[in-house]
Structure formats: C-alpha cells, structure tokens
Amino acid sequence: MATQRTLSIIKPDAVAKNAIGEIISRFEKAGLQVVAAKMLKLDDDKAGGFYAEHKERPFFKDLVGFMTSGPVVVQVLEGDDAIAKNRELMGATNPKEAAPGTIRADFAETIDANAVHGSDSPESAEREIAYFFGADEICPR
Ligand code: RTP
Ligand code: MG
C-alpha cells in the first residue's frame, strides 16, 4: 500500500482531558509519523468551513459550537495506508459503537464530543491538509 497523508484533529474534549500525548502515541505506535502539527483555537468560520459538507445537517450548529469550545491540535500523519489506518485507530463516530481499544472507545463519551477527527478519503485528506497547513509547514522525514 502506498504512502499517504491524512489530517488528524485532536478535538477540544481530548485536549481538555490532557490526552494529546496518549493519542499521538497511538499514531506513532501504529507506524504513522507526525509530519506537521499545531495547536489552534478555531472560530465559527474556520470550524464551519472545515465541516462544510455537514452544513445542512441538524447537528451542524452543535458541531461548530463544540469544535470552537476549546483548543484543538491539528496534525498531518504520514504512512502506509494512513487514511484507513487512522480511521481504524479512531473507531466509530459514536464512541458507544467504537471497538474496544480504539481512541474513541477509550477517550470519548458522546457522538458530539468524540475526541478525534480523521480524513475519510484521499480527496478529503488533500482538502483538509491544505485547509490548515501551507506546504512550508509540512516536514517529511
Ligand atoms: P469526523 O469527521 O469528525 O472525523 O467524524 P466522522 O467522519 O466519524 O463523522 P462525520 O459523519 O463526518 O460527522 C462529523 C462529526 O459530526 C458529529 N456528528 N453528530 N448527532 C449526530 O448524529 C452526529 N453525526 C455526526 C460527530 O461529532 C462527528 O464526528
Ligand atoms: Mg467525517
């Protein structure tokens, strides 16, 4: 499987729990490398633009409210099959349905505050990485 990049966000609930290190450690132990990272406090426009695909969904307002409720850590992860590998490590969107040992099973309680985001396709990864990082902020190793 080819090397890919994916965008990961450690969401405000996991940052508030002081779980940044434990979550990044899971990525690294699974063979993904952090090639870019920063901490940000999103505003309504930045969070709404990021989740634009969900604009018409009933949960959109709550989603933007949650994503702006505290700082997040955005990272670019690189590795073999990085997009699917990250989604596997994250677990299902609803933590109650997430497989044991996944990040959402271990660090999240609700579907609204579910600890992490991960790109779901090569197209979304490309868009989401460019949404947060300039080419000069990504450091391949
Ligand atoms: P994400 O984009 O954050 O990685 O999550 P995902 O792909 O697993 O789920 P997605 O369908 O893209 O939904 C984005 C976020 O919206 C919230 N959500 N709430 N109440 C609901 O039915 C509902 N559905 C989705 C979740 O916080 C989800 O992470
Ligand atoms: Mg999604």
Side-chain angles (χ1 to χ4, degrees), residues 6-47:
T6 190
L7 186 88
S8 163
I9 304 179
I10 301 176
K11 295 185 180 182
D13 57 324
V15 173
K17 280 183 185 160
N18 228 12
I20 297 168
E22 283 190 68
I23 291 173
I24 289 180
S25 177
R26 292 187 181 208
F27 300 144
E28 292 185 331
K29 283 182 179 143
L32 297 172
Q33 293 186 334
V34 178
V35 296
K38 59 185 155 191
M39 186 174 241
L40 295 170
K41 177 85 162 55
L42 302 178
D43 63 16
D44 285 0
D45 280 354
K46 192 80 179 171

Side-chain angles (χ1 to χ4, degrees), residues 58-67 112:
F59 57 79
F60 181 73
K61 200 163 167 264
D62 286 347
L63 177 58
V64 171
F66 168 64
M67 290 301 288
D112 300 304

Side-chain angles (χ1 to χ4, degrees), residues 11 51 54 59 63 87 90 93 104 111-112 114 117-118:
K11 295 185 180 182
Y51 279 120
H54 296 310
F59 57 79
L63 177 58
R87 297 282 299 190
M90 289 164 56
T93 307
R104 282 168 166 165
I111 191 167
D112 300 304
N114 61 3
H117 162 82

Side-chain angles (χ1 to χ4, degrees), residues 65-133:
F66 168 64
M67 290 301 288
T68 57
S69 66
V72 298
V73 178
V74 287
Q75 319 114 69
V76 178
L77 304 176
E78 185 177 271
D80 280 351
D81 205 11
I83 296 168
K85 193 179 271 184
N86 181 40
R87 297 282 299 190
E88 225 177 276
L89 293 169
M90 289 164 56
T93 307
N94 185 345
K96 293 183 175 64
E97 291 161 12
T102 60
I103 294 169
R104 282 168 166 165
D106 290 346
F107 295 102
E109 272 95 51
T110 70
I111 191 167
D112 300 304
N114 61 3
V116 280
H117 162 82
S119 307
D120 60 9
S121 68
E123 295 71 33
S124 66
E126 193 176 342
R127 179 186 86 84
E128 292 173 2
I129 290 168
Y131 193 78
F132 283 111
F133 294 97

